[in-house]
Amino acid sequence: MFHKAVRPVLVVIAHGSRDPRHAATVHALVRRVRSLRPGLRVETGFLDFSLPSVQGVLESLAAEGVRDVVALPLLLTRAFHAKADIPAVLREAPSRLRIRQADVLGPSPLLLSALERRLYEAGLTPADKSSTGVVLASAGSSDPEAIAVIADIAREWWHTGWCAVRPAFASASLPRTEDAVRELRALGCSTVAVAPYVLAPGFLPDRIARGAAGADVLADVLGPAPEVARLLLDRYDKARTPLPAALGA
């Protein structure tokens, strides 16, 4: 008799924030993921500030008898949280769980599509690209690898037809959003837009918004954009493909 393989539970690991908009946006994204794949169980855990905690979610799953989990960091770059915090939390998980850590979301063409979606929702059109300079505004990091990735994304995005694309950071790195806005003005771009490369509202996204005061267009955070939901499932599928011990389980 053949037994249908049980799909691993997807546990989305979000940063957490004192700002209630953060958790609300994460939950909206997870609802969209569930709607795209109704048979998949998706749970959400937070590293800090919000509940349920990642540890609490993993302990509950183990108590239910769940064996296989894909832990997906809701992060755009491989910075400190992806390299240190999340692996540390997963090491403390109940031993009965077989956990695979999925890759972070970025970089991905789907994220560029989501960024453009947000800019068009804010009032731009594809016809505006060649005359519009864009600030790719991320939260920032002290991790050189993460900073280099943001710069690479900005270069790649510029090659799709924008007047110019400049990276900016809300913390830890320079330039700030307002500095990048001034630079694009000086370059002669007739329209300047700020595209927050962040997933949910909070302290640093608010700083990005303040820095965008001199821009013509400020896009919304990526949030539950359809492309982001599809990307979560793509990362899940890649992580779950060769589950360890699956043949002998």
Side-chain angles (χ1 to χ4, degrees), residues 137-157:
S138 76
S141 173
S142 57
D143 187 308
E145 179 189 346
I147 297 303
V149 167
I150 299 299
D152 288 343
I153 293 169
R155 281 192 293 271
E156 179 184 346
W157 202 16

Side-chain angles (χ1 to χ4, degrees), residues 2 19 34 58 75 107 114 125 153 182 218 231 235 237 241-242:
F2 291 97
D19 188 324
R34 292 189 183 117
L58 295 175
L75 300 169
T125 70
I153 293 169
R182 283 193 291 269
L218 171 62
L231 182 54
R235 294 290 187 253
D237 289 337
T241 303

